Amino acid sequence: MKLRALRKAESRRRIVAAAARRLRAEGADGAGVAEVMAEAGLTHGGFYAHFPGREALLAEALAQALAVGRDRWFGGLDGAEGRDVVAAVLGRYLNPRHRAALDDGCAFAALASDFARAGPPLRRAATEGLEAAAALLAPGAGGRGPALALIALCVGGLALARGVDDPALSDEVLRACRRLGLSRRDGQEDGDGGTDLGG
Amino acid sequence: MKLRALRKAESRRRIVAAAARRLRAEGADGAGVAEVMAEAGLTHGGFYAHFPGREALLAEALAQALAVGRDRWFGGLDGAEGRDVVAAVLGRYLNPRHRAALDDGCAFAALASDFARAGPPLRRAATEGLEAAAALLAPGAGGRGPALALIALCVGGLALARGVDDPALSDEVLRACRRLGLSRRDGQEDGDGGTDLGG
DNA sequence: TGTACATCAGTGAACGCGCGTTCACTGATGTAC
DNA sequence: TGTACATCAGTGAACGCGCGTTCACTGATGTAC
């Protein structure tokens, strides 16, 4: 038992990679089993030798996409100072190239509004992904809270920039979000941040 | 031709209202014709007396939901000063009640990441909705750019707060985004807002 | 006002289609001797 | 090393199901006279 196991593991890896792309490009409802398997160079019937069902695959694909994206957009900034960290993240994330990378971009932006409607496995992966990204970014961003807010700004900005059909408005959204992210007064961790009332 | 036309218009109104709820609660792929018609108190067959197809309904439902939400979350602040406008919007938008209002909340947050994958009619409605919201908010927010960025922060924050399965983290996201929205140094419209490179 | 006919919003069965999943089968890989 | 058998990743047809859409039909509403 060696060649066979290696090949199976390699197939599984390709399936997850294909699912991670399709999931971001087509959304949670759009990444079909047959489509993913075809992209992995297999036929759909063999899928259940690797996963108990579609949702298990999507959860793993999401977790993988988020793990890769975490390093890519929020990582590698250990040496930098606070303000530079924020600027670097904004520059990496909110730009036309990332906007165009539908199947290879940040999974938060690709699926943000789907998580609320997704099943427990996907929500779990999303939660762990956000926790991990916030933890990675917290030192440079000035704490967990600012890290979370920066991520939210990036995710909302990229999703809206991708969603509008007017390129000028789309560019404007990216630019405006970069600016807001940079415009924070330094050093304050106080304040309530607004009332909880209203709606 | 009077009673009949009135009843038809009333049916249509109920169909659009039901679609606007379902669309936000279930997503673009989840708002089925039969489901929407049942919620409007009708059977699915009669749908095509009102709309040429499903996508036309969804586009109209989205436009309506965005129009209502625009006044609700971004409007009625004509008298307020800049900083108060931003605080009011953040308080209205990023709170637990709105987070829980899945089928009656802001359509941007409910569908943000779906727009990029949606057909032209939905993208058009989303674009017009964002333009209109930014125009409404621009005077109080200090310009169109800051208005767009504030909307993106709200949308990203609410989508992430809804997506995670950990209530404490969800609260933290709301709080952190309110804080970031309020932390802007006043009066600056300059700056590039970060590089366009990277990805 | 009353009567005969026309219209058409709404009904419910049926359609074609794509999807997730199941299953009998195949053939390369692994094991026993 | 060689041979007989076992395993199991992958194939492709078939399934049940839900969906958007179509269509013949119904009955209340509207029109003509």
Side-chain angles (χ1 to χ4, degrees):
Chain A
M1 215 237 293
K2 197 139 131 201
L3 227 184
R4 181 140 75 190
L6 282 174
R7 283 185 187 162
K8 184 174 185 184
E10 170 59 16
S11 286
R12 190 191 157 98
R13 198 197 54 72
R14 285 206 318 277
I15 294 169
V16 173
R21 282 190 299 271
R22 281 287 173 197
L23 181 62
R24 284 171 286 179
E26 316 281 352
D29 290 334
V33 170
E35 204 182 23
V36 167
M37 290 297 278
E39 190 167 322
L42 298 165
T43 54
H44 61 280
F47 173 73
Y48 297 87
H50 294 277
F51 296 92
R54 183 172 170 271
E55 189 162 32
L57 167 67
L58 294 189
E60 184 165 334
L62 172 61
Q64 199 229 281
L66 288 175
V68 170
R70 178 160 62 246
D71 297 331
R72 199 163 156 196
W73 288 290
F74 307 123
L77 298 161
D78 291 344
E81 201 213 327
R83 193 164 186 78
D84 294 341
V85 169
V86 173
V89 169
L90 290 166
R92 284 184 192 173
Y93 201 104
L94 292 168
N95 65 68
R97 197 203 304 184
H98 190 188
R99 178 181 56 193
L102 271 191
D103 70 349
D104 193 37
C106 174
F108 283 127
L111 299 163
S113 48
D114 289 338
F115 295 141
R117 296 183 282 266
L122 276 175
R123 285 169 68 90
R124 193 84 277 276
T127 305
E128 288 172 359
L130 185 59
E131 287 274 11
L136 181 62
L137 207 50
R144 235 171 86 97
L148 287 170
L150 177 59
I151 294 168
L153 176 65
C154 284
V155 168
L158 191 62
L160 289 181
R162 280 175 175 164
V164 299
D165 64 8
D166 175 352
L169 177 61
S170 180
D171 288 345
E172 214 178 339
V173 169
L174 292 183
R175 210 179 314 124
C177 290
R178 289 198 307 267
R179 244 179 237 180
L180 174 58
L182 284 175
S183 71
R184 201 156 56 94
R185 290 164 306 179
D186 294 333
Q188 88 294 14
E189 277 306 301
D190 51 296
D192 158 68
T195 166
D196 261 6
L197 308 176
Chain B
M1 216 236 293
K2 195 136 132 202
L3 227 185
R4 195 191 279 180
L6 282 174
R7 282 186 187 161
K8 185 175 185 184
E10 170 59 16
S11 286
R12 191 191 156 99
R13 198 197 53 74
R14 284 205 319 276
I15 295 169
V16 173
R21 281 191 299 271
R22 282 289 173 196
L23 181 61
R24 284 173 285 180
E26 316 281 351
D29 290 335
V33 169
E35 205 181 22
V36 166
M37 289 298 277
E39 191 168 321
L42 297 165
T43 56
H44 61 280
F47 173 74
Y48 297 88
H50 294 277
F51 296 93
R54 183 172 170 272
E55 189 162 31
L57 167 66
L58 294 189
E60 185 164 333
L62 173 60
Q64 201 229 283
L66 288 175
V68 171
R70 178 161 62 247
D71 296 332
R72 198 162 156 197
W73 287 291
F74 306 124
L77 297 161
D78 290 344
E81 201 213 327
R83 193 163 188 79
D84 294 341
V85 168
V86 172
V89 168
L90 290 166
R92 284 185 194 172
Y93 200 103
L94 292 168
N95 65 68
R97 197 203 302 188
H98 191 188
R99 179 180 57 194
L102 271 191
D103 71 348
D104 193 38
C106 175
F108 283 127
L111 299 163
S113 48
D114 290 338
F115 294 142
R117 295 183 283 267
L122 277 175
R123 285 169 68 89
R124 194 83 276 277
T127 305
E128 288 171 0
L130 185 59
E131 289 274 11
L136 181 63
L137 207 50
R144 234 172 87 97
L148 286 169
L150 178 60
I151 294 168
L153 177 65
C154 284
V155 168
L158 191 63
L160 288 181
R162 281 176 175 163
V164 300
D165 64 8
D166 175 351
L169 177 61
S170 180
D171 289 345
E172 214 178 337
V173 170
L174 292 183
R175 209 179 316 123
C177 290
R178 288 198 308 267
R179 243 179 236 181
L180 174 58
L182 284 175
S183 73
R184 202 155 56 95
R185 289 165 306 177
D186 295 332
Q188 89 295 11
E189 277 304 301
D190 51 298
D192 159 70
T195 166
D196 261 8
L197 309 174

